[in-house]
Amino acid sequence: MTGGAVPADDVTLAGLHRSGRLAASYPRVPGLLADLPDDELTRAGHLLARLDPDEVLRHHPSTPVLTVAVTGHSTLGPLVPPLTAELARHGMLARPRLSDFDGYVFDLGDPGSALYAAGPDLVLCVLDPDIVFDEVPVPWTVADVERTLDAKVALVRGLAAACHRRTDATLVLNTLPLPRRFTAQLVDHRSRARLGAAWRAANARLLTLGEEFPSVVTLDLDPLLAEGIAAEDPRLGRYAGMGLSPALLARYAREIGHLARHLTGRGKKALVCDLDGTLWGGVLGDDGPDGVEVGEGPRGAAFTAFQKVVRQLGSQGVLLAVVSKNDPGPVDEALREHPRMTLRPADLVRVAASWRPKPDGIAELARDLNLGADSFVFVDDSAYECGLVRHALPEVTVVRLDEEPALHVDRLLRDGWFDTRELNAEDRARPARYREELGRQSFLDSFDSIADYLSELGVWVRLAPVTEAEIPRAAQLTLRTNQFHTAVRRLQPAQVSALAAGPGTRVLGISSGDRFGDNGMVGLIVTRAEGGVLRIDNFVLSCRVFSRGIETACLAAVLADARATGAGAVEAVYRPGPRNAGVRDLYPDHGFVPAGEEDGALLFRHDLADVAAPPPHIRFVESLEETH
């Protein structure tokens, strides 16, 4: 090989870049970045930051893109490469917009600023301790710092309020580290304690801004600093104006990657665990249910700690399952009867113990739960099994553990796979509802026909404008639903609230249940009345309730209500996305006819001359005519 030629099979990130194939090969990037250490990930970010997002989109138009505005008090250029890499690691593209040094007050305070003009999806306002200490006198006292802290928190709150009013973007703030170089300038311990208390009180106020403004997220930097990351680099601070160290900015970028994944509907819903070497030590087939390591001794305690974390995730709506190569009898005995077992069968939506390949067990679980494979995280200590799942089910996220159980927790939690903006009652009820769904599958198997099954299932539906209490769940449905999502429009709570209160617009919540239980809010329809025409801007339905006729019943109700209230027609929009091809024919299948295209979306129209009745097996407990 001469002249710097690159072999066609060079699929390293650098090789793809040198050969000009990086944009065309962008779907391969997450795999190339998956196991890189932090320093190499940042170097990869420098390379990826040179990539034109529009070139990637020409090859892969469904790639999620986030415009990220970066502003703050200090030099923040070093944040861009790790930020670009972290989004790429999760299959997204970043369009970063870096503000001028110390421009955050103007950026967020001026409605005509370039930050707002950029139309960002994310605004990162990176705060550092110098926003306080740059403004205290010399010499200074704790009282001086307290006054400055109060003023700065009030300023940041005002900027957050302005951003909340002016844009739908998510604003990310952060707590302020307190480096020792400040506390050490106070020679008495009582003053140091008072400074620490004032500083923590100010950070507590920053952390509560998200409760006041739903579009605000405040990242707590203390847990990152507790990992041993330096808050600042003295030389870069003095000579380059960097308020936070490059290592801290890189970890900050990882947290932003988790948030961005949630905002683009790429969060995970299910955690599938192996058993031997993962949830307990030893080999069940050799050691028997009483011989596995759990709860006793150093290694047994490490496995118990891991089980506690898994159960904690399950308590917050993560679906837990086991897929293991073992005989089912001993597995059931160990989970039910081992005196020191933390996870029990009641915590799991399924225990799949057999000698089949593990990808088959995961795929079967995905089918039965009606979830895409990309909703799953698979955890195993076997390199072979991890490689097999990666090859057979590339959409599944694989977390490889090893023989050191003390590190299991850190490896599982490293990437915040299940992070969400806000937890609600629907999240906590999710595992029980999916267990009910598996009961429905068994119930279905007892019938000779789908019609008989649906008739006996007793499906009920409530279709009504969302209440204020339902707005967070309505927003969450748009963020987490991918398959039945006609417009692929992700909405934050503030956007849902504005639509619900807007003139001529309605956000209709869909709740359902049946003989097995209440499913809660499972969907929404966003409508807009304009010039005698009702337009369906978005229709979202959870995969938990597919194939029950709920979408047909709700469309029939919307059409009948439109005709009853004097509309001349109903229009609807379908926008192709990476995973919503299954609803492309939703509107044609329900009497709509093609009506052209609009900004890449397909338009459909129903003249309301013939409105079908809802399916007879569905009972409305509240419908639109009751809401007028």
Side-chain angles (χ1 to χ4, degrees), residues 265-272 318-319 366 370-378 395-397 417-418 434 480 482-483 543 579:
R266 302 170 78 83
K268 308 298 179 180
K269 299 178 182 178
L271 174 61
V272 180
V318 177
L319 307 177
N370 217 350
L371 291 174
D374 57 354
S375 296
F376 286 77
V377 175
F378 173 66
E395 303 94 342
V396 172
T397 294
W417 296 114
F418 307 103
Y434 272 94
R480 295 175 66 96
N482 296 294
Q483 297 178 69
C543 57
R579 292 154 57 193

Side-chain angles (χ1 to χ4, degrees), residues 175-186:
T175 57
L176 300 171
L178 179 58
R180 185 179 180 276
R181 66 184 173 94
F182 295 117
T183 59
Q185 294 177 44
L186 298 169

Side-chain angles (χ1 to χ4, degrees), residues 305-320:
F306 185 62
Q307 286 196 26
K308 287 180 178 179
V309 169
V310 171
R311 193 176 187 194
Q312 171 69 15
L313 294 175
S315 74
Q316 299 167 90
V318 177
L319 307 177
L320 305 180

